């Protein structure tokens, strides 16, 4: 039997486009001699449809799409993911399901057992877990079909009480097939490979794993579909951050001596060490070395490009604008936007204050020249002075302070939105994760935007991205740089008062980022962090900053997620909580 994996980029609720892609995948698989073609989890409607699932019309459209697809499943089998009705009165109304289509009919239906309800996942809000388990018989083979999280328990994960493969093994399947929509983070590929390898070693069966690719608002799917043979060898890792299609011969994946073909019901079978969680990866390494290693930075670059591109394409936008300060964050955001959307679709505003250095403007101008995108300069001094003049009766002779700094930041935000509204741009926010974590930003000023590009990227990772861009992505003459070196080496500053530096308000970023990672990603409390040798006063200060600035993040735009714990839908904290504040 030949099995095809169709790794495709879907659009939530775009049934016409999703159905077209699926049918194209079926036709390609048939032309290449496949007996069965596998698509990803909830491919019919796109993952995750969230509260769209509460609309009967949405579910009806899913079934209508299945009816159209099955007309093309004639001489070839098709596994597609879709919501399915729960016929029982008790429980949720829907299952997260896989349908086997063949001979223009629905030949089988499999339901997801393990419904993740953590971080960005909220599946138990909508779906009922499976209450029966069966293999699918197809062309003389028994298919053990699971859905994404179903393989995230091998009997030793306390999050779940059921191991779906243990329910299927007594039926003596010939192959494991998993339809997945597994969101990207920079450790997920390591976790994914370890889990799938462990399955093939434990159950002595090959596995074909088809993952989604593409971005849906803040959540990015990286593809990287996998095929492992019966001996636990990785046969294929499909493309990352783009669509792909491959056909595999099940016979070759299943070649193993007869003595090893005894079905296993689990137990110790040499599966070795594997990871269930991304936060387990990198343990024991220096945090900054791990966050900025070449593998992670390369992946983050490509993930952010995909995130920007899909956000614009799927919403029907084409043009972006951002504020260029001559600083590292706006520079990296600008490069990513140009690489994602094209230089002709990116415009920047340089908005120097009376406190901006001349080289900041020159550096920002040079970057736009290097990238070939449009740029304009609008100084904000006169606008700022007019605010101060009108506020004089109230401010009287009070000293210059935070209010005056915020007026400048909000002036820039207003100018950016004025141009965006006039010419149909979407404003890209340039704040990084270190700033958002500590509240180092102005609401309705430098926190304005339709999409946050770097909001899940720590400051030290931003520096690493800048160096990566200059090393890998330059198309300039030898010795030239995409991002001017002065942007990378100068001390970061908002330039809203004389001689201002970020370090006036924040700890040095190489220390700050380590503490933030301990607290946000690893969920360590103050006692655990201090026990690792960090200054107790600094830890208390940083954690207080994080928790007391939740109100700012609640009003922030969507953040492209590249870590295992990003601000946004996957991190839910009360605004008025007292803990550590």
């Amino acid at each position: 039997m030949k099995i095809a994996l169709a790794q495709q980029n879907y659009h939530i609720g775009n049934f016409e486009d999703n159905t077209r892609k699926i049918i194209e995948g079926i036709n390609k698989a048939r032309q290449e001699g496949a007996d069965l073609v596998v698509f990803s989890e909830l491919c019919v409607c796109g993952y995750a449809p969230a509260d769209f699932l509460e609309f009967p019309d949405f579910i009806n459209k899913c079934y209508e799409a299945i009816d159209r697809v099955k007309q093309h499943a004639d001489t070839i089998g098709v596994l597609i993911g879709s919501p399915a009705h729960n016929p029982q009165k008790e429980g949720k109304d829907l299952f997260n399901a896989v349908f086997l289509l063949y001979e223009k009919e629905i030949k089988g239906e499999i339901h997801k057992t393990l419904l993740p309800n953590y971080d960005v996942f909220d599946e138990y809000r909508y779906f009922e877990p499976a209450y029966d388990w069966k293999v699918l018989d197809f062309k003389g083979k028994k298919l053990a079909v699971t859905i994404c999280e179903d393989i995230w328990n091998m009997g030793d994960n306390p999050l779940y009480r059921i191991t779906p493969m243990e329910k299927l093994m007594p039926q003596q399947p010939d192959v494991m097939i998993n339809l997945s929509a597994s969101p990207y983070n920079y450790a997920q590929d390591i976790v994914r490979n370890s889990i799938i390898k462990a399955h093939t070693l434990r159950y002595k069966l090959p596995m074909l794993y088809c993952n989604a690719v593409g971005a849906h608002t803040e959540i990015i799917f990286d593809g990287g579909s996998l095929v492992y043979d019966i001996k636990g060898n990785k046969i294929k890792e499909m493309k990352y951050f783009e669509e792909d299609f491959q056909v595999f011969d099940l016979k070759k994946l299943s070649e193993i001596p007869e003595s090893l073909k005894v079905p296993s019901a689990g137990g110790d079978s040499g599966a070795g060490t594997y990871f269930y969680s991304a936060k387990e990866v990198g343990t024991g390494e220096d945090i900054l070395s791990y966050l900025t290693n070449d593998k992670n930075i390369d992946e983050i670059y490509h993930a952010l490009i995909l995130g920007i591109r899909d956000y614009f394409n799927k919403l029907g936008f084409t043009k972006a604008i951002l504020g260029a300060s001559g600083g590292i964050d706006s520079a990296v955001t600008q490069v990513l936007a140009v690489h994602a959307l094209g230089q002709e679709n990116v415009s920047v505003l340089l908005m120097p204050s009376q406190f901006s250095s001349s080289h900041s403007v020159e550096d920002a101008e040079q970057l736009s020249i290097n990238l070939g995108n449009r740029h304009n300069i609008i100084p904000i001094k006169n606008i700022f002075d007019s605010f101060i003049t009108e506020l004089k009766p109230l401010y009287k002779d009070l000293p210059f302070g935070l209010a005056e700094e915020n007026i400048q930041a909000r002036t820039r935000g207003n100018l950016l939105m004025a141009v965006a509204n006039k010419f149909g741009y979407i404003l890209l926010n340039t704040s990084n994760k270190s700033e958002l974590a500590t509240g180092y930003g102005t609401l309705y000023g430098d926190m304005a935007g339709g999409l946050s590009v770097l909001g899940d990227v720590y400051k030290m990772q931003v520096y690493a991205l800048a160096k990566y861009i200059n090393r890998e992505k330059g198309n300039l003459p030898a010795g030239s740089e995409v991002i001017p070196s002065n942007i990378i080496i100068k001390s970061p500053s908002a330039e809203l008062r004389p001689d201002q530096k970020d370090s006036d308000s924040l700890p040095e970023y190489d220390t700050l980022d380590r503490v933030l990672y301990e607290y946000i990603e690893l969920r360590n409390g103050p006692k655990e962090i201090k026990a690792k040798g960090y200054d107790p006063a600094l830890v208390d200060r940083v954690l207080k900053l994080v928790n007391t600035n939740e109100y700012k993040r609640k009003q922030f735009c969507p953040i492209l997620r590249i870590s295992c714990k990003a601000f946004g839908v996957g991190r839910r904290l009360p605004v008025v909580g007292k803990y550590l504040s």
Side-chain angles (χ1 to χ4, degrees):
M1 178 184 293
K2 291 186 177 181
I3 302 175
L5 298 185
Q7 177 178 292
Q8 296 182 329
N9 186 344
Y10 305 108
H11 187 182
I12 295 172
N14 190 340
F15 294 99
E16 181 178 350
D17 193 54
N18 294 345
T19 301
R20 174 188 58 78
K21 283 193 170 193
I22 292 168
I23 292 171
E24 287 176 355
I26 293 171
N27 292 337
K28 183 174 178 64
R30 187 189 297 107
Q31 292 168 6
E32 297 195 15
D35 300 286
L36 176 70
V37 57
V38 181
F39 297 88
S40 60
E41 179 181 15
L42 294 184
C43 58
V44 165
C45 60
Y47 188 99
D51 281 4
F52 281 158
L53 292 167
E54 297 178 350
F55 291 83
D57 179 65
F58 187 86
I59 305 304
N60 290 339
K61 289 185 181 300
C62 291
Y63 276 97
E64 290 169 4
I66 293 170
D67 286 340
R68 290 196 297 272
V69 171
K70 74 181 181 183
Q71 298 306 311
H72 298 265
D74 42 19
T75 60
I76 184 172
V78 177
L79 287 173
I80 56 171
S82 175
H85 290 303
N86 179 5
Q88 294 195 8
K89 184 177 181 180
E90 298 80 13
K92 306 288 174 58
D93 292 337
L94 299 171
F95 291 109
N96 183 340
V98 168
F99 290 87
L100 172 61
L101 310 179
Y102 183 52
E103 295 177 333
K104 300 186 179 182
E105 298 177 354
I106 296 175
K107 296 290 188 178
E109 184 176 325
I110 298 295
H111 301 148
K112 190 172 183 176
T113 303
L114 308 183
L115 301 176
N117 192 37
Y118 56 84
D119 199 68
V120 299
F121 301 106
D122 204 8
E123 290 197 28
Y124 195 67
R125 178 182 175 99
Y126 312 103
F127 297 120
E128 182 70 9
Y131 47 75
D132 61 4
W133 299 270
K134 55 185 179 292
V135 300
L136 294 174
D137 293 310
F138 179 72
K139 292 192 174 183
K141 298 294 182 181
K142 295 180 178 180
L143 315 179
V145 176
T146 56
I147 305 172
C148 200
E149 189 84 357
D150 283 346
I151 60 172
W152 248 250
N153 181 23
M154 295 183 65
D156 57 358
N157 185 353
L159 191 61
Y160 301 109
R161 292 182 291 178
I162 293 175
T163 303
M165 276 307 303
E166 297 293 319
K167 299 288 187 178
L168 295 170
M169 283 307 294
Q171 301 173 53
Q172 299 186 317
D174 297 294
V175 61
M176 297 179 285
I177 299 175
N178 184 270
L179 287 75
S180 188
S182 180
Y184 169 75
N185 66 70
Y186 44 75
Q188 189 66 10
D189 57 331
I190 296 173
V191 177
R192 180 189 301 146
N193 272 275
S194 76
I195 285 285
I196 293 173
K197 181 180 179 70
H199 272 73
T200 58
L201 291 173
R202 173 170 291 192
Y203 298 112
K204 299 180 174 63
L205 293 171
M207 178 179 282
L208 295 96
Y209 168 98
C210 188
N211 193 27
V213 69
H216 295 148
T217 315
E218 59 267 87
I219 301 175
I220 300 166
F221 299 91
D222 58 340
S225 299
L226 290 165
V227 176
Y228 274 72
D229 70 10
I230 203 165
K231 304 173 187 177
N233 300 312
K234 185 195 299 185
I235 300 303
K236 185 67 178 181
E237 190 166 34
M238 292 168 66
K239 292 178 181 177
Y240 278 81
F241 307 111
E242 58 182 292
E243 294 186 326
D244 200 1
F245 182 94
Q246 298 282 333
V247 179
F248 304 91
D249 189 333
L250 180 58
K251 182 179 179 181
K252 292 182 180 179
L253 299 176
S254 304
E255 290 175 347
I256 196 167
E258 290 294 327
S259 61
L260 296 180
K261 287 188 175 180
V262 179
S264 168
D268 184 6
S269 59
T273 302
Y274 44 89
F275 302 103
Y276 281 128
S277 169
K279 73 175 187 175
E280 300 170 31
V281 180
T283 301
E285 297 182 44
D286 174 73
I287 288 173
L288 285 190
S289 296
Y290 169 64
L291 291 177
T292 61
N293 70 40
D294 289 345
K295 169 198 172 293
N296 289 343
I297 295 302
D298 178 76
E299 288 181 7
I300 291 169
Y301 168 85
H302 288 95
L304 295 175
I305 293 292
L306 177 59
I308 296 168
R309 185 176 293 142
D310 269 14
Y311 186 81
F312 277 72
N313 289 345
K314 291 178 179 179
L315 286 173
F317 303 135
T318 57
K319 298 184 291 184
I321 190 170
L322 58 102
S325 66
I328 190 77
D329 301 313
S330 62
V332 170
T333 302
Q334 184 176 336
V335 173
L336 292 169
V338 168
H339 289 175
L341 305 173
Q343 62 187 37
E344 70 280 5
N345 292 316
V346 177
S347 181
V348 303
L349 279 187
L350 287 63
M351 298 167 288
S353 73
Q354 63 264 48
F355 308 113
S356 297
S357 61
S358 60
H359 65 72
S360 291
V361 177
E362 292 164 3
D363 293 340
E365 281 191 290
Q366 187 60 53
L367 177 61
S368 286
I369 292 169
N370 292 349
L371 292 171
N373 64 260
R374 183 183 302 108
H375 68 282
N376 297 97
I377 302 176
I378 304 179
I380 66 170
K381 182 181 184 303
N382 292 341
I383 302 172
F384 172 71
D385 288 345
S386 69
F387 270 104
I388 296 304
T389 298
E390 296 301 323
L391 288 166
K392 180 69 174 176
L394 292 176
Y395 281 15
K396 300 186 186 305
D397 295 320
L398 292 171
F400 185 103
L402 183 61
E404 286 80 3
E405 293 181 30
N406 286 346
I407 288 171
Q408 295 171 79
R410 292 191 176 112
T411 297
R412 288 169 172 159
N414 277 326
L415 288 172
L416 284 164
M417 288 308 304
V419 177
N421 291 162
K422 194 68 173 178
F423 299 104
Y425 295 120
I426 295 298
L427 175 58
L428 294 178
N429 183 271
T430 64
S431 300
N432 62 65
K433 189 171 188 174
S434 309
E435 294 171 343
L436 291 177
T438 54
Y440 191 61
T442 303
L443 279 172
Y444 328 120
D446 56 345
M447 292 184 72
L451 179 69
S452 170
V453 176
L454 299 178
D456 197 28
V457 183
Y458 286 114
K459 186 74 168 190
M460 298 306 293
Q461 291 178 306
V462 177
Y463 280 111
L465 275 169
K467 294 173 184 175
Y468 169 89
I469 288 165
N470 277 354
R471 183 176 69 247
E472 302 290 340
K473 300 299 168 185
N475 55 0
L476 299 172
S480 300
E481 302 162 312
V482 179
I483 300 177
S485 59
N486 194 54
I487 290 177
I488 299 174
I489 63 175
K490 71 181 179 181
S491 298
S493 170
E495 296 189 324
L496 297 174
R497 65 172 184 265
D499 301 319
Q500 182 183 26
K501 292 183 174 59
D502 289 6
S503 56
D504 298 339
S505 304
L506 299 174
E508 295 292 344
Y509 284 114
D510 57 351
T511 299
L512 176 63
D513 287 355
R514 287 185 169 96
V515 175
L516 291 174
Y517 184 83
E518 291 276 3
Y519 182 53
I520 297 169
E521 274 83 355
L522 300 185
R523 271 88 85 191
N524 286 326
K527 183 182 295 185
E528 293 87 354
I529 299 173
K530 293 171 186 177
K532 295 186 178 184
Y534 295 97
D535 176 66
L538 181 142
V539 171
D540 290 340
R541 177 189 170 203
V542 170
L543 270 53
K544 182 176 182 178
L545 284 171
V546 175
N547 285 14
T548 55
N549 282 287
E550 187 65 26
Y551 77 99
K552 287 188 176 181
R553 294 187 292 271
K554 288 291 185 185
Q555 302 180 63
F556 196 57
C557 58
I559 298 169
L560 294 178
R561 176 186 183 270
I562 53 90
S563 78
C564 64
K565 184 59 68 174
F567 296 127
V569 295
R571 190 175 186 271
R572 307 174 191 180
L573 295 180
V575 169
V576 296
K578 181 62 179 172
Y579 175 62
L580 300 181
S581 64

